[in-house]
């Protein structure tokens, strides 16, 4: 049985080097060896977040980290703003409503980003807000929100915390948490960080810690003060995902070897442009415009005249190329091409070539090789 070529927006392919790192002999999380691993990994991962603050490791998926960010900073009845531009912005809405926050939703159409001016106008008509929740990279639509600009507006218009979901992009895009004024930034292991699911990372600003300390959250397992207290000893309050920490340590070294997060982000940007150029050359419509297009995932509409479900099933069964379909109102309308983490321009050329082969199987009208040539031009230009 052949393995499929996984081009989903998470989980993503795992490099062999990371698999080997995660096969190390297991250690106890209450030993000097673990403390050394923990402290070294924190120091290595800080530049990826763009912060000097302590980064906490939760043995959980990204959704738990989002909930931790919410329940540790906000109490029932507090006013919050949630910017939602797709399914994962709606996750934040659901979390906040579940905990009985007063949610003021700034909602954009799926496929659009939130602009700084839109947020400014919204905040000027909102009551006193305790936190603004926003999604850096919206996995359901392939939108990258202008987080630096949005965070600046929040600081100018309110005293609210800036809480950012970076689950599907940290490790693949620029992130300057301290410089941009982000108070809490979270991500998960199974996206651009190239690891299996099961580890989430939470970075917290000094200002956010002051709010957390005054909030007196009722949560136990997701109590960030507990994680902070144990982090000072180089440990976690509960049993951590030790093997994933081995892997994360190696991820950070891979990124450093590439030239740092700036070079890694540049590679992701090149791959984004390759995919977009290829689809344009094949006359396949993209969901988003270029201005806010994600470097880690591209949302692509069904090729004209082809049933998308049949096309994706054919790609997977004949060519072993596996894409994710659309979510919510975009189900059956788009497919999502993940190009994050362990993915390189050569992988984009491979995927475009197989897409072209499948298009020929469906008698789609196009010039054979047009998509590959367009993607090649983008790549070759980036290497000059």
């Amino acid at each position: 049985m052949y393995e499929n070529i996984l081009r989903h927006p998470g989980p993503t392919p795992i490099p062999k080097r990371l698999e080997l790192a995660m096969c190390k002999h297991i250690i106890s999380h209450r030993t000097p060896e673990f403390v050394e691993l923990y402290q070294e990994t924190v120091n290595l991962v800080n530049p990826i977040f763009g912060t000097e603050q302590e980064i906490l490791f939760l043995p959980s998926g990204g959704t738990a980290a989002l909930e931790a960010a919410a329940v540790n900073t906000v109490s029932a009845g507090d006013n919050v703003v949630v910017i939602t531009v797709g399914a994962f912005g709606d996750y934040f809405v659901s979390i906040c409503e579940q905990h009985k926050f007063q949610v003021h939703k700034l909602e954009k159409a799926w496929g659009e980003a939130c602009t700084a001016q839109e947020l400014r106008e919204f905040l000027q008509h909102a009551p006193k807000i305790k936190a603004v929740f926003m999604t850096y990279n919206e996995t359901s639509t392939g939108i990258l929100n202008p987080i630096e600009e949005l965070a600046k507006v929040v600081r100018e218009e309110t005293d609210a915390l800036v809480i950012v979901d970076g689950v599907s992009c940290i490790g693949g895009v620029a992130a300057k948490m301290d410089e941009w004024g982000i108070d809490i930034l979270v991500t998960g292991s199974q996206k651009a960080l190239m690891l299996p699911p099961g580890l989430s990372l939470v970075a917290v600003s000094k200002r956010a810690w002051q709010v957390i300390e005054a909030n007196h959250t009722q949560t136990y397992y997701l109590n960030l003060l507990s994680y902070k207290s144990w982090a000072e000893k180089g440990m976690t309050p509960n049993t951590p995902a030790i093997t994933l920490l081995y892997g994360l340590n190696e991820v950070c070294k891979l990124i450093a070897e590439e030239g740092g997060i700036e070079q890694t982000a540049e590679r992701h940007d090149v791959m984004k442009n390759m995919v977009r150029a290829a689809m344009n050359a094949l006359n396949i419509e993209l969901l988003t415009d270029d201005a806010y297009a994600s470097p880690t995932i591209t949302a692509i509409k069904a090729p004209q005249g082809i049933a998308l479900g049949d096309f994706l099933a054919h790609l997977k069964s004949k060519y072993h190329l596996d894409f994710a379909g659309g979510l919510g109102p975009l189900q059956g309308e788009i497919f999502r091409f993940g190009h994050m983490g362990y993915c390189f321009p050569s992988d984009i050329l491979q995927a475009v070539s197989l897409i072209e082969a499948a298009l020929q199987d469906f008698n789609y009208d196009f010039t054979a090789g047009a998509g590959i040539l367009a993607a090649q031009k983008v790549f070759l230009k980036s290497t000059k």
Side-chain angles (χ1 to χ4, degrees):
M1 184 69 179
Y2 292 107
E3 291 185 1
N4 289 321
I5 303 164
L6 188 64
R7 292 271 70 91
H8 276 236
T12 61
I14 303 169
K16 180 60 68 176
R17 179 169 158 182
L18 301 190
E19 291 179 346
L20 292 172
M22 291 184 288
C23 288
K24 290 179 181 178
H25 185 69
I26 198 72
I27 58 176
S28 168
H29 59 295
R30 296 290 184 252
T31 61
E33 292 83 3
F34 179 81
V35 171
E36 182 180 357
L37 170 67
Y38 184 102
Q39 292 176 337
E40 180 183 71
T41 306
V42 167
N43 291 334
L44 288 171
V45 81
N46 273 25
I48 297 172
F49 278 69
T51 185
E52 296 181 358
Q53 305 307 316
E54 183 82 39
I55 294 178
L56 307 176
F57 302 129
L58 279 61
S60 70
T63 303
L66 302 182
E67 184 165 15
V71 300
N72 280 271
T73 56
V74 183
S75 299
D78 288 339
N79 289 291
V80 300
V81 167
V82 181
I83 301 169
T84 175
V85 297
F88 293 91
D90 289 346
Y91 264 36
F92 256 148
V93 173
S94 297
I95 290 168
C96 292
E97 290 179 342
Q98 177 71 28
H99 292 283
K100 303 189 185 312
F101 305 165
Q102 295 298 312
V103 179
H104 304 268
K105 185 164 61 171
L106 198 176
E107 186 172 17
K108 297 297 299 289
W110 287 38
E112 295 181 3
C114 178
T115 68
Q117 185 58 33
E118 288 169 333
L119 177 58
R120 188 181 302 280
E121 293 174 359
F122 191 88
L123 291 175
Q124 288 173 348
H125 294 90
K128 185 173 178 59
I129 298 297
K130 191 167 187 183
V132 178
F133 297 88
M134 56 187 77
T135 309
Y136 195 169
N137 190 78
E138 177 50 67
T139 321
S140 65
T141 63
I143 278 290
L144 192 77
N145 274 314
I147 291 298
E148 179 181 5
E149 298 172 19
L150 298 178
K152 181 180 179 182
V153 168
V154 175
R155 288 300 184 94
E156 290 174 348
E157 298 292 337
T158 74
D159 295 322
L161 296 179
V162 178
I163 299 177
V164 177
D165 167 4
V167 170
S168 63
C169 64
I170 298 303
V173 300
K176 299 180 180 180
M177 176 179 168
D178 295 348
E179 181 181 326
W180 295 348
I182 296 171
D183 291 296
I184 299 183
L185 178 59
V186 308
T187 196
S189 55
Q190 77 278 18
K191 305 282 188 174
L193 293 178
M194 304 179 274
L195 293 167
L199 176 69
S200 60
L201 293 79
V202 182
V204 184
S205 73
K206 292 180 179 178
R207 193 170 77 110
W209 281 124
Q210 293 174 352
V211 173
I212 291 169
E213 288 165 0
N215 191 54
H216 303 299
T217 181
Q218 298 300 306
T219 188
Y220 176 78
Y221 191 71
L222 298 178
N223 189 320
L224 295 182
L225 285 173
S226 177
Y227 282 88
K228 182 176 185 289
S229 175
W230 279 92
E232 292 169 358
K233 297 180 282 189
M235 297 182 186
T236 56
N238 308 294
T239 306
I242 297 169
T243 55
L244 291 177
L245 283 176
Y246 277 133
L248 178 61
N249 188 285
E250 202 68 23
V251 167
C252 296
K253 292 174 182 176
L254 278 173
I255 291 174
E257 289 169 14
E258 188 172 10
I261 189 60
E262 295 82 7
Q263 288 298 116
T264 302
E266 184 175 326
R267 167 167 54 87
H268 283 78
D269 209 49
V270 169
M271 293 190 294
K272 170 197 74 176
N273 292 332
M274 289 175 70
V275 172
R276 297 180 74 80
M279 295 305 106
N280 287 333
L282 297 172
N283 295 314
I284 299 176
E285 192 176 351
L286 300 165
L287 178 66
T288 65
D289 61 26
D290 291 343
Y292 298 106
S294 164
T296 62
I297 175 177
T298 300
I300 304 169
K301 294 187 178 181
Q304 190 169 5
I306 299 177
L308 183 58
D310 295 341
F311 183 66
L312 295 180
H314 182 73
L315 274 170
K316 187 173 182 178
S317 63
K318 183 175 181 178
Y319 299 107
H320 307 285
L321 182 59
D322 191 3
F323 290 118
L327 299 175
L330 296 177
Q331 189 171 6
E333 301 294 325
I334 65 163
F335 67 98
R336 294 175 296 147
F337 187 143
H339 36 83
M340 67 179 83
Y342 190 47
C343 184
F344 299 89
S346 56
D347 297 305
I348 304 302
L349 293 174
Q350 177 194 48
V352 171
S353 175
L354 296 176
I355 289 172
E356 287 201 12
L359 290 172
Q360 292 184 64
D361 294 338
F362 280 80
N363 298 312
Y364 181 77
D365 184 19
F366 74 105
T367 301
I372 300 169
L373 181 60
Q376 283 179 334
K377 286 182 176 178
V378 171
F379 174 56
L380 291 173
K381 184 178 179 181
S382 74
T383 61
K384 290 182 178 179

